[in-house]
Amino acid sequence: MSAPLRLVDWPSGLIDINAVKLAGPQSVNAGSTTSFEGYQQSRATPFGLWQYTFSFQIYRSAEARDYRGFVTALHEGANVTIVPFCDRHVGLKSDFGLSAETNVLWSNGQPFSNGQAWTGRYGNVDLAVAHTKGTTIVFLSPTFWGDKLQRGAWLGFGPTYFGKHKVVEVVYPGAYR
């Protein structure tokens, strides 16, 4: 029987300065079959856990205590945390057909109350069709960047979805493996 998962929250404001992948899910339950004629078919399910090691900057005061509590929780049996994921190699907004305009003020010419203007974002893309468990090709709606991904792009990780997936093949624009 496997150990139950114990989730510990990622410390608020904790930013990694280096993330090194130790193990990825490249495939789970991979295998192959061979017919009598000698034809071989390979299969793999692209699901599994990712494992990383992180390096952090030096923290002080409340941030240091929060980090210390996080590490202690992991030492005391917590074995899962949801890491805020940032793709440091994401394409330019113009690569995805979005306006590269930044520091946009409201229609009245004023910034937010903190003095900062707002910037455009990449936007959420819906699935074009429902997918069953074990599906290896995903179909995205052609809104925003849904039909503009290239091999190696990451997708997933939203406010209500914690999966992280990598495009390994562009079947056609909007359809990815």
Side-chain angles (χ1 to χ4, degrees):
M1 184 168 137
S2 63
L5 297 179
R6 181 174 156 223
L7 178 67
V8 62
D9 291 331
W10 186 263
S12 177
L14 183 64
I15 300 170
D16 67 275
I17 58 173
N18 189 30
V20 177
K21 185 173 91 166
L22 299 177
Q26 305 307 334
S27 63
V28 176
N29 298 328
S32 65
T33 55
T34 305
S35 69
F36 289 116
E37 295 84 18
Y39 294 105
Q40 187 172 17
Q41 180 180 10
S42 299
R43 66 184 184 285
T45 305
F47 299 104
L49 297 176
W50 293 82
Q51 296 176 353
Y52 285 89
T53 181
F54 294 97
S55 299
F56 300 100
Q57 64 187 22
I58 297 173
Y59 289 98
R60 292 184 173 24
S61 303
E63 289 176 330
R65 290 189 299 275
D66 194 18
Y67 173 72
R68 183 174 56 205
F70 171 70
V71 171
T72 302
L74 291 172
H75 284 260
E76 291 179 347
N79 52 10
V80 175
T81 188
I82 298 171
V83 178
F85 182 78
C86 175
D87 185 358
R88 290 172 176 88
H89 304 289
V90 69
L92 301 172
K93 291 180 182 175
S94 59
D95 293 343
F96 295 101
L98 303 173
S99 169
E101 193 174 329
T102 58
N103 297 326
V104 180
L105 300 175
W106 288 102
S107 61
N108 63 5
Q110 298 296 312
F112 280 101
S113 60
N114 64 2
Q116 299 292 315
W118 60 276
T119 60
R121 55 186 291 257
Y122 290 90
N124 294 328
V125 174
D126 292 326
L127 296 173
V129 297
H131 295 81
T132 59
K133 183 177 180 180
T135 300
T136 60
I137 296 180
V138 63
F139 300 91
L140 300 179
S141 298
T143 57
F144 297 114
W145 47 264
D147 58 351
K148 296 174 178 63
L149 295 178
Q150 298 172 337
R151 185 175 54 195
W154 295 107
L155 64 148
F157 32 81
T160 58
Y161 179 75
F162 303 118
K164 179 179 95 167
H165 309 281
K166 183 175 17 175
V167 174
V168 296
E169 177 187 355
V170 178
V171 179
Y172 58 84
Y176 309 100
R177 183 181 322 271

PDB file of all heavy atoms in Angstrom, residues 5-23:
ATOM      1  N   LEU A   5      -0.876  10.846   0.285  1.00  0.00           N
ATOM      2  CA  LEU A   5      -0.278  12.126  -0.058  1.00  0.00           C
ATOM      3  C   LEU A   5      -0.633  13.153   1.013  1.00  0.00           C
ATOM      4  O   LEU A   5      -1.784  13.252   1.415  1.00  0.00           O
ATOM      5  CB  LEU A   5      -0.772  12.603  -1.419  1.00  0.00           C
ATOM      6  CG  LEU A   5      -0.418  11.734  -2.609  1.00  0.00           C
ATOM      7  CD1 LEU A   5      -0.989  12.321  -3.880  1.00  0.00           C
ATOM      8  CD2 LEU A   5       1.084  11.577  -2.735  1.00  0.00           C
ATOM      9  N   ARG A   6       0.361  13.873   1.479  1.00  0.00           N
ATOM     10  CA  ARG A   6       0.136  14.957   2.438  1.00  0.00           C
ATOM     11  C   ARG A   6       0.614  16.244   1.787  1.00  0.00           C
ATOM     12  O   ARG A   6       1.806  16.430   1.567  1.00  0.00           O
ATOM     13  CB  ARG A   6       0.885  14.707   3.743  1.00  0.00           C
ATOM     14  CG  ARG A   6       0.634  15.811   4.753  1.00  0.00           C
ATOM     15  CD  ARG A   6       1.251  15.505   6.100  1.00  0.00           C
ATOM     16  NE  ARG A   6       1.469  16.749   6.798  1.00  0.00           N
ATOM     17  CZ  ARG A   6       2.554  17.041   7.477  1.00  0.00           C
ATOM     18  NH1 ARG A   6       3.521  16.169   7.586  1.00  0.00           N
ATOM     19  NH2 ARG A   6       2.670  18.200   8.069  1.00  0.00           N
ATOM     20  N   LEU A   7      -0.324  17.112   1.455  1.00  0.00           N
ATOM     21  CA  LEU A   7      -0.045  18.349   0.744  1.00  0.00           C
ATOM     22  C   LEU A   7       0.333  19.451   1.725  1.00  0.00           C
ATOM     23  O   LEU A   7      -0.339  19.651   2.733  1.00  0.00           O
ATOM     24  CB  LEU A   7      -1.275  18.772  -0.052  1.00  0.00           C
ATOM     25  CG  LEU A   7      -1.197  20.073  -0.829  1.00  0.00           C
ATOM     26  CD1 LEU A   7      -0.192  19.949  -1.969  1.00  0.00           C
ATOM     27  CD2 LEU A   7      -2.571  20.432  -1.374  1.00  0.00           C
ATOM     28  N   VAL A   8       1.424  20.149   1.432  1.00  0.00           N
ATOM     29  CA  VAL A   8       1.826  21.311   2.218  1.00  0.00           C
ATOM     30  C   VAL A   8       1.847  22.514   1.277  1.00  0.00           C
ATOM     31  O   VAL A   8       2.249  22.405   0.119  1.00  0.00           O
ATOM     32  CB  VAL A   8       3.205  21.095   2.908  1.00  0.00           C
ATOM     33  CG1 VAL A   8       4.311  20.890   1.904  1.00  0.00           C
ATOM     34  CG2 VAL A   8       3.542  22.242   3.837  1.00  0.00           C
ATOM     35  N   ASP A   9       1.345  23.648   1.765  1.00  0.00           N
ATOM     36  CA  ASP A   9       1.276  24.854   0.941  1.00  0.00           C
ATOM     37  C   ASP A   9       2.661  25.398   0.643  1.00  0.00           C
ATOM     38  O   ASP A   9       3.549  25.398   1.491  1.00  0.00           O
ATOM     39  CB  ASP A   9       0.471  25.949   1.648  1.00  0.00           C
ATOM     40  CG  ASP A   9      -1.000  25.608   1.739  1.00  0.00           C
ATOM     41  OD1 ASP A   9      -1.490  24.881   0.862  1.00  0.00           O
ATOM     42  OD2 ASP A   9      -1.652  26.066   2.691  1.00  0.00           O
ATOM     43  N   TRP A  10       2.823  25.901  -0.579  1.00  0.00           N
ATOM     44  CA  TRP A  10       4.047  26.600  -0.974  1.00  0.00           C
ATOM     45  C   TRP A  10       4.062  27.929  -0.225  1.00  0.00           C
ATOM     46  O   TRP A  10       3.048  28.618  -0.161  1.00  0.00           O
ATOM     47  CB  TRP A  10       4.025  26.832  -2.477  1.00  0.00           C
ATOM     48  CG  TRP A  10       5.275  27.403  -3.042  1.00  0.00           C
ATOM     49  CD1 TRP A  10       5.510  28.713  -3.317  1.00  0.00           C
ATOM     50  CD2 TRP A  10       6.461  26.700  -3.414  1.00  0.00           C
ATOM     51  NE1 TRP A  10       6.758  28.876  -3.836  1.00  0.00           N
ATOM     52  CE2 TRP A  10       7.370  27.655  -3.915  1.00  0.00           C
ATOM     53  CE3 TRP A  10       6.834  25.373  -3.382  1.00  0.00           C
ATOM     54  CZ2 TRP A  10       8.628  27.314  -4.383  1.00  0.00           C
ATOM     55  CZ3 TRP A  10       8.087  25.030  -3.840  1.00  0.00           C
ATOM     56  CH2 TRP A  10       8.968  25.980  -4.335  1.00  0.00           C
ATOM     57  N   PRO A  11       5.167  28.309   0.370  1.00  0.00           N
ATOM     58  CA  PRO A  11       5.208  29.568   1.122  1.00  0.00           C
ATOM     59  C   PRO A  11       4.877  30.782   0.253  1.00  0.00           C
ATOM     60  O   PRO A  11       5.363  30.898  -0.867  1.00  0.00           O
ATOM     61  CB  PRO A  11       6.657  29.649   1.618  1.00  0.00           C
ATOM     62  CG  PRO A  11       7.131  28.234   1.603  1.00  0.00           C
ATOM     63  CD  PRO A  11       6.425  27.579   0.455  1.00  0.00           C
ATOM     64  N   SER A  12       4.061  31.651   0.776  1.00  0.00           N
ATOM     65  CA  SER A  12       3.658  32.858   0.056  1.00  0.00           C
ATOM     66  C   SER A  12       4.879  33.735  -0.218  1.00  0.00           C
ATOM     67  O   SER A  12       5.664  34.029   0.679  1.00  0.00           O
ATOM     68  CB  SER A  12       2.639  33.628   0.893  1.00  0.00           C
ATOM     69  OG  SER A  12       2.293  34.822   0.254  1.00  0.00           O
ATOM     70  N   GLY A  13       5.041  34.121  -1.459  1.00  0.00           N
ATOM     71  CA  GLY A  13       6.149  34.998  -1.813  1.00  0.00           C
ATOM     72  C   GLY A  13       7.473  34.299  -2.045  1.00  0.00           C
ATOM     73  O   GLY A  13       8.459  34.945  -2.394  1.00  0.00           O
ATOM     74  N   LEU A  14       7.531  32.989  -1.868  1.00  0.00           N
ATOM     75  CA  LEU A  14       8.780  32.248  -2.067  1.00  0.00           C
ATOM     76  C   LEU A  14       9.037  32.089  -3.556  1.00  0.00           C
ATOM     77  O   LEU A  14       8.218  31.550  -4.284  1.00  0.00           O
ATOM     78  CB  LEU A  14       8.709  30.879  -1.400  1.00  0.00           C
ATOM     79  CG  LEU A  14       9.963  30.015  -1.468  1.00  0.00           C
ATOM     80  CD1 LEU A  14      11.117  30.666  -0.721  1.00  0.00           C
ATOM     81  CD2 LEU A  14       9.688  28.640  -0.895  1.00  0.00           C
ATOM     82  N   ILE A  15      10.166  32.599  -4.009  1.00  0.00           N
ATOM     83  CA  ILE A  15      10.517  32.550  -5.427  1.00  0.00           C
ATOM     84  C   ILE A  15      11.812  31.764  -5.572  1.00  0.00           C
ATOM     85  O   ILE A  15      12.807  32.068  -4.915  1.00  0.00           O
ATOM     86  CB  ILE A  15      10.703  33.972  -5.988  1.00  0.00           C
ATOM     87  CG1 ILE A  15       9.397  34.764  -5.837  1.00  0.00           C
ATOM     88  CG2 ILE A  15      11.136  33.928  -7.438  1.00  0.00           C
ATOM     89  CD1 ILE A  15       9.549  36.232  -6.123  1.00  0.00           C
ATOM     90  N   ASP A  16      11.784  30.749  -6.436  1.00  0.00           N
ATOM     91  CA  ASP A  16      12.996  29.973  -6.654  1.00  0.00           C
ATOM     92  C   ASP A  16      13.905  30.727  -7.616  1.00  0.00           C
ATOM     93  O   ASP A  16      13.452  31.443  -8.489  1.00  0.00           O
ATOM     94  CB  ASP A  16      12.677  28.578  -7.187  1.00  0.00           C
ATOM     95  CG  ASP A  16      12.098  28.621  -8.581  1.00  0.00           C
ATOM     96  OD1 ASP A  16      10.877  28.805  -8.698  1.00  0.00           O
ATOM     97  OD2 ASP A  16      12.866  28.487  -9.537  1.00  0.00           O
ATOM     98  N   ILE A  17      15.202  30.571  -7.416  1.00  0.00           N
ATOM     99  CA  ILE A  17      16.154  31.195  -8.332  1.00  0.00           C
ATOM    100  C   ILE A  17      16.740  30.170  -9.287  1.00  0.00           C
ATOM    101  O   ILE A  17      17.368  30.524 -10.260  1.00  0.00           O
ATOM    102  CB  ILE A  17      17.282  31.944  -7.584  1.00  0.00           C
ATOM    103  CG1 ILE A  17      18.037  31.014  -6.645  1.00  0.00           C
ATOM    104  CG2 ILE A  17      16.715  33.141  -6.846  1.00  0.00           C
ATOM    105  CD1 ILE A  17      19.260  31.634  -6.013  1.00  0.00           C
ATOM    106  N   ASN A  18      16.495  28.902  -8.985  1.00  0.00           N
ATOM    107  CA  ASN A  18      16.956  27.843  -9.868  1.00  0.00           C
ATOM    108  C   ASN A  18      16.136  26.588  -9.610  1.00  0.00           C
ATOM    109  O   ASN A  18      15.956  26.192  -8.470  1.00  0.00           O
ATOM    110  CB  ASN A  18      18.446  27.561  -9.637  1.00  0.00           C
ATOM    111  CG  ASN A  18      19.014  26.626 -10.671  1.00  0.00           C
ATOM    112  OD1 ASN A  18      18.565  26.597 -11.810  1.00  0.00           O
ATOM    113  ND2 ASN A  18      20.003  25.849 -10.291  1.00  0.00           N
ATOM    114  N   ALA A  19      15.610  25.999 -10.665  1.00  0.00           N
ATOM    115  CA  ALA A  19      14.858  24.753 -10.558  1.00  0.00           C
ATOM    116  C   ALA A  19      15.498  23.749 -11.501  1.00  0.00           C
ATOM    117  O   ALA A  19      15.596  23.996 -12.696  1.00  0.00           O
ATOM    118  CB  ALA A  19      13.396  24.969 -10.913  1.00  0.00           C
ATOM    119  N   VAL A  20      15.950  22.624 -10.957  1.00  0.00           N
ATOM    120  CA  VAL A  20      16.591  21.589 -11.760  1.00  0.00           C
ATOM    121  C   VAL A  20      15.705  20.351 -11.734  1.00  0.00           C
ATOM    122  O   VAL A  20      15.370  19.840 -10.663  1.00  0.00           O
ATOM    123  CB  VAL A  20      18.004  21.255 -11.212  1.00  0.00           C
ATOM    124  CG1 VAL A  20      18.624  20.123 -12.011  1.00  0.00           C
ATOM    125  CG2 VAL A  20      18.885  22.482 -11.231  1.00  0.00           C
ATOM    126  N   LYS A  21      15.322  19.880 -12.919  1.00  0.00           N
ATOM    127  CA  LYS A  21      14.468  18.693 -12.997  1.00  0.00           C
ATOM    128  C   LYS A  21      15.297  17.459 -12.677  1.00  0.00           C
ATOM    129  O   LYS A  21      16.317  17.197 -13.293  1.00  0.00           O
ATOM    130  CB  LYS A  21      13.853  18.581 -14.385  1.00  0.00           C
ATOM    131  CG  LYS A  21      12.861  17.444 -14.498  1.00  0.00           C
ATOM    132  CD  LYS A  21      12.161  17.462 -15.830  1.00  0.00           C
ATOM    133  CE  LYS A  21      12.928  16.624 -16.811  1.00  0.00           C
ATOM    134  NZ  LYS A  21      12.200  16.309 -18.024  1.00  0.00           N
ATOM    135  N   LEU A  22      14.847  16.709 -11.684  1.00  0.00           N
ATOM    136  CA  LEU A  22      15.512  15.457 -11.315  1.00  0.00           C
ATOM    137  C   LEU A  22      14.915  14.279 -12.072  1.00  0.00           C
ATOM    138  O   LEU A  22      15.615  13.369 -12.479  1.00  0.00           O
ATOM    139  CB  LEU A  22      15.385  15.207  -9.813  1.00  0.00           C
ATOM    140  CG  LEU A  22      16.014  16.258  -8.902  1.00  0.00           C
ATOM    141  CD1 LEU A  22      15.738  15.914  -7.451  1.00  0.00           C
ATOM    142  CD2 LEU A  22      17.500  16.362  -9.152  1.00  0.00           C
ATOM    143  N   ALA A  23      13.597  14.313 -12.219  1.00  0.00           N
ATOM    144  CA  ALA A  23      12.911  13.228 -12.911  1.00  0.00           C
ATOM    145  C   ALA A  23      11.621  13.776 -13.493  1.00  0.00           C
ATOM    146  O   ALA A  23      10.961  14.600 -12.884  1.00  0.00           O
ATOM    147  CB  ALA A  23      12.612  12.074 -11.955  1.00  0.00           C
TER     148      ALA A  23
END
